[in-house]
């Protein structure tokens, strides 16, 4: 985790650039301004895309509120859909004008972490630097802008097929990839029972991922009326309101006393983490997607019920154009439709209103679409 | 493969038994007779079930035609649904009168093969005897009878929940388990493209398995009008008629030139095996379910396109009550409905008519249900 | 975890038995008595072995001290080597007089947990009862006796080849299986760097397991002179004394700043658990063998360095005759020699002295051999 | 497989280059000439290394003999050790003068194949083009030269630690990576029995790989006196001479009748492929490394003994700097020493003598070292 301000210098727009663009720039806590900044240019191996749609992530809220530190002056956002504007030397197989998405995580594909299959732990070239693959709107300029500079473009530009719209793919860049990744990390098998704690956008995508992998029952858990409604609407088999029912008891009952094969935590709280452990069958897997703060307590009598064999796996949004390609195929073939999650639409100029609405959870908001 | 007649003596009905039952007995090529035979009794660790429904498998046809040798006098069939009639000593957690299914493969759970997770290679106790887990209607009496003696009952009786009918589960005992197992062995991931060669009952179940695991496109291939019709009806995304189209070309086109991630062979012919290899993308997996005869030729220039990294996996119907339980859950939760495949129904007394129809593929037959 | 006294009634020696034997019986805290008790008989599916060697486990110390509750009257111990004395009906492929070992965990092979490959979570027949596979000296009579009743004998009797001695195999029954299992669960690959926290008998076996799997460097950590000495003697590549060095710093240095691919925790303390997380490279695996008490705190900033992708797996001694067979093969072929760990030898009659020595860690004791 | 002459134009030395170097150039069948050619320069993302040691591969013999077609004018060889001479723009974390090895396969890390973990199937950028990752001495100039242009340098330069010599690492670039990769693909577990057919350099490395992964017994098979001798010298547990013994019978005996868990084919002949299948236990894995020609016949009655569950995996040398790094660590820590395999040494100027000796298998030659 990046705990100090850090900006990767090579990717900062050149001071002498003359063309400009509009972008949402972080200036401090609760101070995001849409302003004119230099338009980026593509160096070797990079690309610039003209952003046609993006969205706001829960992580962006943490940044706006100062809970996750980024350097003032940074353009935020990490969920881009766009059109290729410029290709740096060395990027092949693409043409200016092609429509693409880029994942929130932008692995280089060429460091030790990437080459051993850990794309989200990308070390940006040489080794295992633990910088991590998340750079957009974190250590380099992000997607809430008119143009976006894409590092390691060869590994990250995923083409959008004809007939597929921006709204169909914008949520693939992060929440669908992360949520579905949580189901994949959990190793869901045909016939498994799965519980997903938290039915916000990522948790809901985890529920859909478990369904796509063949779970016999997906049990969603939340305590927010709107999210419960959405989970039911999107086809989660059973949705439990944790304000009303004893979730652990209820899940045990639903699984004939056995517990679930896979529990997915998508909220990041101590209580949901503990409940996720408590509802696991012996030998089950806890797939953890939530971002916890401080120390997390593992109730070992639950962890090791029957003395063990549980697995806990954590998943950060896996990126790369190949993963985006597979998800785009699901959309194109009609197997995954996340458009209902996009409840509100804003222009980039009005992004502060979008932040306000998204942060308030008012008016049934799930995800917002931002267009230029 | 058992190439000589073999009957496991300990499981032959005792000569002194007085109660009798009706059963379909193999007497020789094209000579199956429904006749009165001794009713079995349950020894230690065994159970007897009263068969309420069974079906006929393609393998039974091979037996009837003398293409797969079994000992004259054997009761054939390996797909039982029934009610527990008698429990041998040492079988716990069950009660007479409970409804159960038993898989075609009856692993003991206690030999070296089973304990290392290779249930279909069960060695019946001690080691890795390569006898294999398939016993019903092969080396011991089978399911096309009023009563069935179940070996290793503790590992093989899978309870049927209330509200689930015999017709809903009878195909889980073999074809669904085998077909879905082929998709599982192939390692289908969310977004993968999958081709399934052969859309008979097993191939169709393989197609459904690939869909259940999240394939973005499942391409079924067959050359039989009825099977093509069924595949479309059951939701296979694209069904190719190999009498009309160049399958390899067409599949390449459907996958943007890349080939499929997983190809499943469910017919057992040289040509489909070769085509399955030819449509694989570099690094793809061929999951082989077909039963080939004689020498199979691997066209190495296809096998090793780009010098390799293909995998070929073979799958025999995996058994055991845990697998049956997971599949039953899919049925119970409405995620898997194979009833449309049961096109015809017969009484045990008329099983020769059922064999005739099933063998002829006439009248749109896919699977037949046999009841007492 | 069993938190109340529980004895499985069907396996209690019959009251009317007339033959007797000597056994170490738990009567209360610090009150183990070697006394005359009924000799067991083999029911269906069971076997009786005449114990020729056994040992004392750290878990037995917890029992003796009252830290892990068992019912007074229970014979303790779970690491048997012996000779088959009696075979119950239904057990095939064995003969009275054959030498065998039996793992500490005695899976039935026939419940849902076993049939899905989770042998240590054995539910004893029907389902996933979370009773767990550990029964000897826990819920049924154990191995510190002249004779031992073995449940699910077919799945648990592993033959000892000629020329292999009792001392060569006695530690396979638990510590070697558990320790090596920790390396296996961790997924050690050729060339990996591995750190093992705790170099007691189990931690040392985990170190040896990592070496056997091809680790390029195994770093053992302990703070006990004798254990450090033993680890060096047994070939652990680097042994760190955590009383002297900053373990996290030192391991980072030894791995060129990257951290280890796999960390194994074999002590069960908060500090070693945290350190194990801190020395992991991004995307690495923590394999947890230690038995923790109370709540375990996960320092999330370490758990999720770089926002994630760590795995935590827990392992309970995997059992079953197939696993024992593989480990016996390692011994027979000279690839695994644990005899140096057996530092002291006692007669069963003197087992209280053995407990005292083993509990005190005096005189360089690592493991004790107990013979009749 | 590349079946027509093909040279990737962007990587051909520029015609206007003025500096020259000595290199082994393929001019036609049995016509390799050491001659003066333009010295390469590093474009974006590329590097030039000064080759300090290389070797000759069996594949180079196929090229020299015209059995594998390459374009006349191509510099051959694919096993480079060297010193960084020049770094193209965009390559970071390296310095001119650093010692490195580069694998025979040079994955880009940024195409769909690489990003899904199939490095040896690298599509060089965009997708799954099935060109394959092997480029050196195949589609671009190779390593039997004074200087070598390295594509995708960021993903392929693996640093050599101080104190490690060229001779210690030269065989890691291909044969050790391929041979050990065959053991890894086979999934060798602690205690497994493994048979390796062919004990040439790659087969011998497969044997060593199986040992490193914890096999209880590795059985090498060959029919060449020198190779049998080498296999014994390098520590293969049992070496069978297939001119003298019935290999299938003997391996069955050595494994107590069961067969091996993993068979590795490293010769590429019909007979060894069949034998490898015949010695597998039910459910075992055949890992195929040999390069077959024409149609390969699978004796299905062996493939499907007991009706199945065999796996056949093929492995092409996996590349990338991370894999090289792990292997280098094994060498540096003294766990892998392949120096005994280097039996002869030549200067680049005398490489035709080296080809002649290596091709003749005379004088006990296993591998030759070529230095400038």
């Amino acid at each position: 985790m990046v705990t100090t301000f850090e900006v990767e210098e090579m990717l900062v727009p050149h001071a002498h650039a003359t063309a400009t663009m509009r972008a949402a720039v972080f200036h401090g806590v609760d101070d995001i301004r849409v302003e004119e900044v230099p338009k980026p240019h593509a160096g070797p191996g990079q690309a610039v895309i003209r952003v046609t749609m993006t969205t706001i992530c829960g992580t962006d809220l943490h940044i706006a509120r100062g809970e996750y530190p980024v350097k003032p002056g940074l353009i935020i956002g990490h969920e881009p859909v766009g059109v290729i504007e410029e290709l740096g030397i060395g990027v092949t197989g693409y043409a200016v004008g092609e429509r693409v998405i880029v994942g929130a995580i932008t692995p280089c594909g060429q460091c030790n972490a990437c080459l051993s299959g850990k794309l989200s732990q990308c070390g940006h070239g040489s080794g295992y630097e633990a910088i991590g693959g998340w750079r957009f709107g974190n250590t380099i300029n992000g997607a809430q802008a008119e143009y976006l500079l894409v590092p390691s473009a060869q590994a990250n530009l995923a083409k959008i097929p004809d007939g597929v719209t921006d709204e169909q793919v914008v949520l693939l860049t992060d929440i669908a990839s992360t949520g579905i990744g949580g189901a994949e990390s959990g190793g869901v098998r045909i016939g498994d029972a799965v519980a997903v704690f938290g039915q916000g956008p990522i948790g809901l995508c985890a529920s859909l991922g478990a369904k796509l992998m063949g779970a016999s029952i997906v049990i969603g858990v939340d305590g927010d009326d709107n999210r419960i409604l959405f989970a039911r609407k999107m086809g989660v088999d059973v949705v439990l309101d944790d304000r009303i029912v004893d979730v652990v008891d209820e899940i045990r009952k639903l699984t004939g006393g056995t517990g679930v094969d896979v529990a997915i935590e998508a909220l990041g709280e101590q209580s949901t983490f503990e409940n996720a452990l408590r509802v696991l069958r012996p030998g089950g897997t806890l797939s953890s997607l939530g971002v916890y703060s401080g120390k997390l307590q593992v109730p070992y009598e639950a962890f090791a019920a029957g003395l063990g064999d549980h697995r806990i796996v954590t998943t950060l949004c896996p990126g790369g154009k190949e993963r985006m390609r597979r998800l785009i195929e699901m959309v194109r073939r009609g197997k995954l439709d996340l458009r209902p999650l996009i409840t509100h639409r804003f222009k980039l100029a009005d992004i502060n209103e979008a932040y306000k609405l998204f942060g308030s959870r008012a008016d049934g908001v799930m995800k917002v679409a931002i267009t230029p």
Side-chain angles (χ1 to χ4, degrees), chain A:
Chain A
M1 194 179 294
V2 177
T3 50
T4 56
F5 295 155
E6 177 181 343
V7 175
E8 302 175 38
E9 292 306 324
M10 68 166 288
L11 293 168
V12 170
H14 305 303
H16 60 272
T18 51
T20 61
M21 66 170 181
R22 304 291 291 171
V25 177
F26 174 82
H27 281 274
V29 176
D30 288 328
D31 184 4
I32 289 170
R33 300 177 209 161
V34 177
E35 58 192 16
E36 208 71 19
V37 298
K39 181 184 163 188
H41 289 291
Q46 303 173 345
V48 170
I49 66 168
R50 176 168 55 80
V51 178
T52 54
M53 184 173 288
T54 188
T55 180
I56 300 175
C57 181
T59 307
D60 296 326
L61 287 180
H62 288 295
I63 290 172
R65 292 169 182 161
E67 295 161 3
Y68 180 91
V70 301
K71 184 162 182 174
L74 190 80
I75 302 168
I76 54 182
H78 52 262
E79 295 160 290
V81 185
V83 173
I84 297 175
E85 173 83 5
E86 187 190 355
L87 289 163
I89 53 171
V91 185
T92 62
Y94 295 94
V96 168
E98 287 181 321
R99 295 173 63 225
V100 293
I101 62 170
V102 182
I105 301 295
T106 47
C108 72
Q110 303 189 319
C111 65
N112 293 92
C114 284
L115 288 165
S116 65
K118 293 284 180 180
L119 301 178
S120 65
Q121 298 302 321
C122 174
H124 309 179
S126 308
Y128 279 109
E129 273 92 50
I131 307 172
W134 174 36
R135 305 170 80 184
F136 284 144
N138 180 19
T139 61
I140 65 174
N141 277 331
Q144 292 168 9
E146 286 181 287
Y147 296 94
L148 173 69
L149 183 64
V150 180
S152 304
Q154 192 73 53
N156 287 290
L157 301 177
K159 296 180 188 178
I160 305 172
D162 291 344
V164 174
T165 67
D166 286 7
E167 288 210 357
Q168 283 181 289
V169 293
V170 65
L171 300 186
L172 303 184
T173 58
D174 186 355
I175 65 156
S177 185
T178 302
I180 290 173
E184 291 176 313
S185 299
V188 175
R189 299 168 307 165
I190 290 177
D192 274 356
V194 179
V196 183
F197 290 81
Q199 290 295 295
I202 287 179
L204 188 46
C205 286
S207 296
L208 297 180
K211 276 175 72 89
L212 287 172
M213 294 178 79
S216 61
I217 182 168
V218 177
I219 305 162
V221 179
D222 211 302
D224 175 288
D225 287 339
N226 186 41
R227 293 182 168 192
I228 290 169
L229 199 73
F230 255 98
R232 289 190 177 133
K233 188 167 119 191
M234 297 292 287
V236 178
D237 296 306
V238 177
V239 186
L240 301 180
D241 184 339
D242 62 11
R243 296 167 302 185
I244 298 174
V245 301
D246 180 320
V247 171
V248 175
D249 269 12
E250 196 62 27
I251 292 176
R252 291 255 163 226
K253 263 182 231 155
L254 282 163
T255 54
T258 298
V260 296
D261 299 277
V262 179
I264 302 176
E265 207 290 335
L267 208 64
E269 295 184 359
Q270 178 67 33
S271 61
T272 45
F273 184 86
E274 290 203 16
N275 281 344
L277 277 174
R278 286 183 213 285
V279 301
L280 277 182
R281 72 157 167 75
T285 298
L286 167 56
S287 176
S288 171
L289 291 169
V291 178
Y292 308 86
S293 46
K295 295 241 177 182
L296 180 70
Q297 286 192 318
V298 179
Y300 212 79
E301 87 286 357
F303 188 27
L307 284 178
D309 264 359
H310 284 152
R311 288 192 314 140
I312 302 180
V313 296
T314 60
T315 301
L316 176 64
C317 174
K321 72 182 175 193
E322 163 62 7
R323 182 169 181 78
M324 292 300 121
R325 183 192 69 78
R326 288 203 282 131
L327 295 177
I328 290 171
E329 283 299 293
M330 294 301 281
V331 166
R332 178 157 80 115
R333 304 289 185 181
K335 318 267 173 169
L336 181 65
D337 185 357
L338 300 171
R339 284 173 299 185
L341 290 184
I342 301 176
T343 51
H344 296 76
R345 286 154 189 84
F346 292 87
K347 290 286 173 192
L348 177 60
D350 305 320
I351 200 166
N352 271 302
E353 284 176 50
Y355 267 91
K356 200 169 154 190
L357 176 71
F358 186 62
S360 71
R361 287 206 199 172
D363 194 29
V365 66
M366 282 296 275
K367 290 291 282 186
V368 300
I370 310 290
T371 51

